[in-house]
Amino acid sequence: GHMSGENWDVPWRRDRCPYTDPDLLRAQLRLVAELAGRYGRHPAVAAWDLANEHDNFVPLPSASAGWLWAHLLTREIQHLARQPVVLGTHITSFTCRDAFRYPDLGQIHDLLCVHPYPMYSELCPGRPSLPPSTLFPYFCLKLARALGGRPVLLEEFGLSTAVAGEEEVKAYFQTALYSALAAGCSGALAWCFADFKRTHRKPYATVPHEIGFGLTRDGRPKGAGAAMADFAAALSYLPLS
């Protein structure tokens, strides 16, 4: 699949479409059945994510093919697991015709996801610590909720210190987190826990800015990590159900 600007494939796929090829669908159903059957009631598993930005890995031949693929895998998991199923959707679900559509996913999943990185959107020019970048997660959360009719998880968000200063990244996190809360977000997961060090290996050899998204560096919190900790502490004082 896709991660950090690189795609990871297996040679036996031979360019077949994972959304429509019968043999690949059968293999995927077997994989999720094995995993859900073994870990479907494990307390350490919070949810099942079908894929990360899967249309970056292989473009959808059609939105309907994406709906069918998500429907098949989700139903297979739901037969065996009690945790919710989600799909790691990103900006293309708002901007591309042949994408995973939020109204379709709202028919399948109880929880929707967004990955609103301002640095990857033409809607967010200017400094990342100022609007519109800081309000971009709010915008995407509200739009996904309106389109899909389901609660929305801020499944991925963040800003790399490879492209912005640490204090600027902290300021971005501070505004983005509170605006996400105001948008009715179901939760927020920052990408990612720690900066990466193996810069000579893929994917970081080809996308060097990806190494700086961590909340920590060498075991110590960065500005983003401090902002997340402060926000979590503030939440403990709010009357949230």
Side-chain angles (χ1 to χ4, degrees):
H2 178 82
M3 197 198 88
S4 296
E6 286 283 350
N7 289 325
W8 311 89
D9 209 343
V10 288
W12 47 264
R13 186 172 72 86
R14 298 192 301 275
D15 293 326
R16 291 175 293 175
C17 180
Y19 310 108
T20 59
D21 182 86
D23 290 333
L24 290 184
L25 286 171
R26 184 174 182 175
Q28 291 171 88
L29 287 168
R30 181 177 180 182
L31 173 64
V32 299
E34 289 290 335
L35 290 170
R38 179 172 296 189
Y39 301 110
R41 296 186 178 276
H42 198 289
V45 177
W48 298 90
D49 191 339
L50 297 181
N52 175 64
E53 302 175 6
H54 205 48
D55 47 354
N56 277 339
F57 171 54
V58 176
L60 290 172
S62 68
S64 294
W67 173 86
L68 182 59
W69 175 84
H71 178 86
L72 285 172
L73 296 187
T74 299
R75 295 295 180 258
E76 188 71 14
I77 294 171
Q78 288 175 334
H79 285 313
L80 300 163
R82 64 182 182 184
Q83 303 97 336
V85 182
V86 299
L87 176 61
T89 41
H90 61 129
I91 302 299
T92 57
S93 289
F94 297 124
T95 60
C96 295
R97 178 176 179 178
D98 292 326
F100 292 104
R101 295 178 179 172
Y102 282 104
D104 290 345
L105 295 175
Q107 298 175 7
I108 305 169
H109 298 153
D110 294 328
L111 183 65
L112 303 174
C113 294
V114 293
H115 297 183
Y117 292 100
M119 65 181 295
Y120 297 132
S121 174
E122 295 179 354
L123 296 175
C124 299
R127 294 181 59 178
S129 59
L130 299 173
S133 292
T134 49
L135 296 178
F136 192 55
Y138 176 93
F139 170 76
C140 292
L141 287 162
K142 296 289 281 188
L143 183 56
R145 177 67 182 260
L147 291 171
R150 297 286 189 176
V152 186
L153 171 69
L154 185 53
E155 189 192 34
E156 274 193 39
F157 81 105
L159 182 63
S160 173
T161 50
V163 299
E166 191 163 327
E167 288 303 310
E168 189 165 29
V169 174
K170 182 178 181 180
Y172 167 78
F173 266 73
Q174 289 170 332
T175 306
L177 284 166
Y178 282 99
S179 65
L181 178 64
C185 174
S186 294
L189 301 173
W191 179 264
C192 54
F193 174 68
D195 284 354
F196 294 95
K197 293 184 177 181
R198 300 198 175 195
T199 57
H200 62 288
R201 299 177 61 179
K202 286 187 176 182
Y204 309 109
T206 55
V207 282
H209 66 275
E210 290 278 352
I211 66 172
F213 275 97
L215 297 178
T216 66
R217 180 191 297 117
D218 297 326
R220 296 182 179 182
K222 296 165 59 180
M228 286 285 283
D230 291 344
F231 180 71
L235 288 181
S236 65
Y237 294 100
L238 297 177
L240 300 175
S241 59

